[in-house]
Every structure is written in structure tokens, then in C-alpha cells.
Amino acid sequence: MVKKVVLAYSGGLDTSVILKWLQDQYQCDVVTFTADIGQGEELEPARAKAEKLGAREIFIDDLRQEFVRDYVFPMFRANTIYEGEYLLGTSIARPLIAKRMVEIAADVGADAVAHGATGKGNDQVRFELGAYALNPDIQVIAPWREWDLNSREKLLAYAEQHGIPVERHGKKSPYSMDANLLHISYEGGILEDPWAEAEDSMWRWTTAPEQAPDQPRYLEIAFAHGDPIAIDDEPLTPAQLLAHLNTVGGEHGIGRLDIVENRYVGMKSRGCYETPGGTILLKAHRAIESITLDREVAHLKDELMPRYASIIYNGFWWSPERRALQTLIDQTQRLVNGVVRLKLYKGSCMVVGRQSQESLFDPRIATFEDDAGAYNQKDAEGFIKLNALRLRIEKRLQG
């Protein structure tokens, strides 16, 4: 028996239909929750629509600072990318939404939470793993796994039958899009053919590189303990900083991506992404680490990163293994302080300078000029022979 359910609500077609369907199917009160994580849309219309459709209570929460500070930045301390390219813009938002849904459920005395993720995607896994990790006894309702409204046409027909206001986009279904302060994603439509190039009109955040300004843009990003804190000497909050980099990076065509990825549920999926700020931050963070991290620590982080990325992609943000890895990663960032200078030009982001009070780069040793005895080159002979010993022994045995 479900008496009250908290629904992750966007105000779009799917979740608007779900709001009405939950009331009819479960004869329960529905509380809507809409998260502002920087998707750039006006959220008050979602409130008006939820009221019209009979929501018992409505929550619209500004989570932008928490999203960037407590989820995006910790992820970027690990230089996290999935399958070599994807910066996990959708994946990293889901644990925060799940957390807030569970909190609201506790506050309003709800029996269950509900979401609009389909049975084919990763998001159902992420939402539900998060919910169960934070409240083992919570009930989860996933309408896409229960109803027979398995197409946009059926959803529109249901909406018309029940007086649900929706925006129509003509006969052709629009792209499935997800946006937040880290990225915007596109799936469906022409993108379901992995050979077809995305339409120029699809991209919303970034200028086409060939149409970007002819003059490069230089940026200086300051880091403290692995997190960016200022741009061009101007301190910014986490959300402000990422939003600014999105704007500047987008103007210069930074951060477009077209990939086929392996979903956790087993299928391959083609998607396009715009992540201008994240692309810049990843490049800058690796640059400041290059002069402040010990070699073996840096290499250890690179070895662990793919596992950390899969943990996030697969929805295990709240797992003990992610927390354990995060502790290690955060420990490595204590001395990751300094400034990185970057050059943005027609889709490229190039590091052109880095400096730090904790820099391990010693110009006296690294120089090609006279090092005044700082490095004894004769030491290399024994080093090489010791490392070659096993190779020489093996070759002698082979004859």
C-alpha cells in the first residue's frame, strides 16, 4: 500500500503523465520534487503544472552550489572520465537527486519515491541504487517498467485524455536531452544511427569551432587542495565558476563530444554531449597535478580512475568502495595548489603555463644547461644496469 509518493518531477511530458498516472493507479497523494542543478530552464512553470495536476506538495530546490561543490568537484579531483571520453555529466547528478528525494520522503512521511527513467537506461539504476543506499526500506515506483505507455504517441494520447497540458514538437520526436551545470546531453532521433552526423542545429551551448572567434582567449584558473577557486584572480563560488567556464568555453567551441558508450544495463548507446566548463577543468586540473603530485601518486590515481569512473557511471556513488576511493583521492589533493594558464581557440583547450608554491618541478635539475652539479649523470649508469639485469639474464638463457 502506497499512501504518499515523492516524484522526481521536471514538468515535461513523461513526468506530467506520471504525476496523473500515480494518482490513478495507486490512489495516493503525490509530492513533486524539482531540482535546480543549473539546467538553465525556468522552473516555476513546473510548479504551476504540478498544482494543476493535483500535486499535494511541491518542492523546487536550488541545488546548484551543492551539486558542483559536493559532487562535480570531488569527481574532478580524480580526473574522472568514462571509457576515455565521457565526463559523466548525467551520472554525477543522479546521486544528489536521489538523496534529496529520500530526504523529502522522510520529511513528508511518504512511503515511496518515483522517477521517470525508462527501463532501458542507466538512470533507473542510479536513482534506485541511491535511494536504497540512503533508505534501505524505501519503496521505488518506476512507471516505465509497469505501464504500457511505451511511446511518445501513447503518452500524448494519455495526456490529451486526462487534460494534461504538454508542449508538442510536431510529428517527429525531439532529442532526449538532459542538462545541468556540468553538461547537456542529446540522445534519440537521428543519433540512433551511429553513422549519421549530428545536425548543426542540435548543439545549444557551444559555437561550432569553425565559427568561433579568430582570436584566442587566455584564462588563469587558481586551485586550492585540488578544487578550482578563482578565474583570472576573481574568487568565485563553485557554481559561478563552472557557469563562467561554460560560457567562455562555449563561445570558443570547447567541449563537444559524440560517442557510443556501454550502458550498465548491457546495451550500447550513442549520445552527444556539450561539456565546455568540464573539459577546461579537466585539462587544468591535470596540469596543476603535473607539477604538484609525486610520480607514483599520479600514476596510482590514473590506474584507479577507470574504476572510480565506472562506480559513478553505474550508480554506486553512495557505495563503500566509492567512499574509500574518495578518501584516497582527497588525500592526494592536499598540496594541489597553484595557477594554470590556458589558451582557448576554435575548439581546442591548451595548457600554456602552470605554477605552484608546492611545485616539484626543479629547474636546476631539469635544465639542459649547466646544472652546477645538481644532478650527477654518472648515477644513471648503475640505475640502467640494475633495471636491465633481468632482461640480460633472460636473453642469456634463451641463447
Side-chain angles (χ1 to χ4, degrees):
M1 294 293 295
V2 175
K3 296 181 179 179
K4 185 180 291 187
V5 58
V6 176
L7 169 65
Y9 182 71
S10 70
L13 172 62
D14 292 19
T15 54
S16 294
V17 168
I18 289 172
L19 174 51
K20 176 63 177 173
W21 181 87
L22 285 170
Q23 295 172 75
D24 291 345
Q25 189 74 13
Y26 284 88
Q27 298 295 306
C28 65
D29 292 334
V30 180
V31 176
T32 64
F33 159 56
T34 304
D36 181 0
I37 48 178
Q39 54 266 53
E41 298 176 351
E42 175 57 49
L43 298 181
E44 283 306 312
R47 183 191 302 276
K49 187 179 289 188
E51 288 176 351
K52 179 179 176 63
L53 295 175
R56 178 55 58 98
E57 295 181 71
I58 299 169
F59 290 81
I60 298 178
D61 295 349
D62 184 349
L63 303 178
R64 288 174 294 176
Q65 293 294 350
E66 183 179 358
F67 173 53
V68 181
R69 181 190 65 232
D70 297 342
Y71 297 82
V72 175
F73 281 3
M75 181 177 72
F76 270 80
R77 292 173 205 148
N79 302 318
T80 311
I81 51 176
Y82 178 69
E83 295 188 336
E85 295 188 271
Y86 176 39
L87 275 71
L88 297 166
T90 297
S91 314
I92 194 59
R94 297 329 189 204
L96 172 58
I97 295 173
K99 168 178 170 285
R100 189 66 187 120
M101 274 201 301
V102 169
E103 290 173 345
I104 292 173
D107 291 343
V108 301
D111 314 286
V113 295
H115 61 77
T118 75
K120 286 187 175 181
N122 293 310
D123 281 341
Q124 59 179 336
V125 182
R126 296 164 182 156
F127 283 133
E128 294 177 36
L129 288 177
Y132 289 134
L134 297 169
N135 181 352
D137 300 317
I138 196 74
Q139 182 173 342
V140 178
I141 300 174
W144 276 95
R145 301 201 299 258
E146 296 185 28
W147 63 21
D148 60 355
L149 305 175
N150 55 6
S151 71
R152 179 173 173 81
E153 289 68 29
K154 289 183 177 180
L155 289 171
L156 287 170
Y158 184 97
E160 184 174 354
Q161 178 184 352
H162 293 86
I164 301 171
V166 296
E167 295 181 10
R168 293 180 177 269
H169 298 273
K171 294 182 180 180
K172 183 180 177 181
S173 297
Y175 292 107
S176 174
M177 294 184 293
D178 175 75
N180 57 49
L181 266 174
L182 182 54
H183 88 159
I184 183 169
S185 67
Y186 309 88
E187 292 179 326
I190 192 175
L191 301 180
E192 293 184 354
D193 177 1
W195 182 252
E197 182 176 1
E199 302 160 319
D200 290 340
S201 59
M202 179 192 74
W203 306 102
R204 296 193 173 195
W205 285 7
T206 56
T207 301
E210 59 269 28
Q211 297 173 358
D214 293 330
Q215 297 299 318
R217 169 70 181 269
Y218 287 86
L219 288 176
E220 291 186 2
I221 302 178
F223 287 85
H225 310 301
D227 290 344
I229 58 171
I231 298 176
D232 295 331
D233 293 326
E234 180 183 357
L236 297 169
T237 68
Q240 289 172 337
L241 188 143
L242 187 52
H244 181 72
L245 290 180
N246 281 335
T247 299
V248 176
E251 291 172 354
H252 290 269
I254 307 295
R256 289 187 178 185
L257 187 63
D258 182 334
I259 62 174
V260 173
E261 67 198 63
N262 289 295
R263 285 183 176 175
Y264 192 34
V265 294
M267 70 184 72
K268 290 184 181 290
S269 172
R270 193 266 188 98
C272 291
Y273 302 92
E274 292 177 281
T275 321
T279 301
I280 296 169
L281 279 182
L282 178 64
K283 180 77 76 169
H285 185 257
R286 291 199 69 98
I288 196 62
E289 282 192 331
S290 72
I291 60 172
T292 57
L293 276 192
D294 169 78
R295 180 190 69 187
E296 295 305 313
V297 172
H299 290 181
L300 178 61
K301 283 185 77 245
D302 283 345
E303 291 169 10
L304 294 173
M305 184 276 289
R307 176 68 187 277
Y308 181 90
S310 292
I311 287 171
I312 295 175
Y313 184 85
N314 295 340
F316 288 94
W317 177 265
W318 298 108
S319 67
E321 63 269 27
R322 200 283 305 179
R323 293 196 298 270
L325 279 175
Q326 194 71 58
T327 299
L328 186 152
I329 290 162
D330 292 350
Q331 172 68 18
T332 70
Q333 302 297 291
R334 293 178 303 113
L335 300 180
V336 180
N337 310 312
V339 179
V340 177
R341 188 168 70 249
L342 304 109
K343 178 181 179 181
L344 312 182
Y345 183 66
K346 292 189 178 295
S348 70
C349 176
M350 182 177 179
V351 176
V352 295
R354 67 289 275 164
Q355 63 181 9
S356 172
Q357 293 294 321
E358 281 78 34
S359 177
L360 299 174
F361 182 91
D362 189 335
R364 298 173 306 148
I365 294 176
T367 182
F368 281 94
E369 305 300 330
D370 184 0
D371 61 18
Y375 180 88
N376 187 348
Q377 298 193 31
K378 291 182 179 180
D379 291 342
E381 181 177 355
F383 171 79
I384 294 168
K385 286 188 174 180
L386 284 174
N387 278 281
L389 182 59
R390 63 186 179 88
L391 307 178
R392 297 169 74 185
I393 291 172
E394 182 186 29
K395 184 60 178 176
R396 285 170 181 158
L397 286 173
Q398 292 173 348

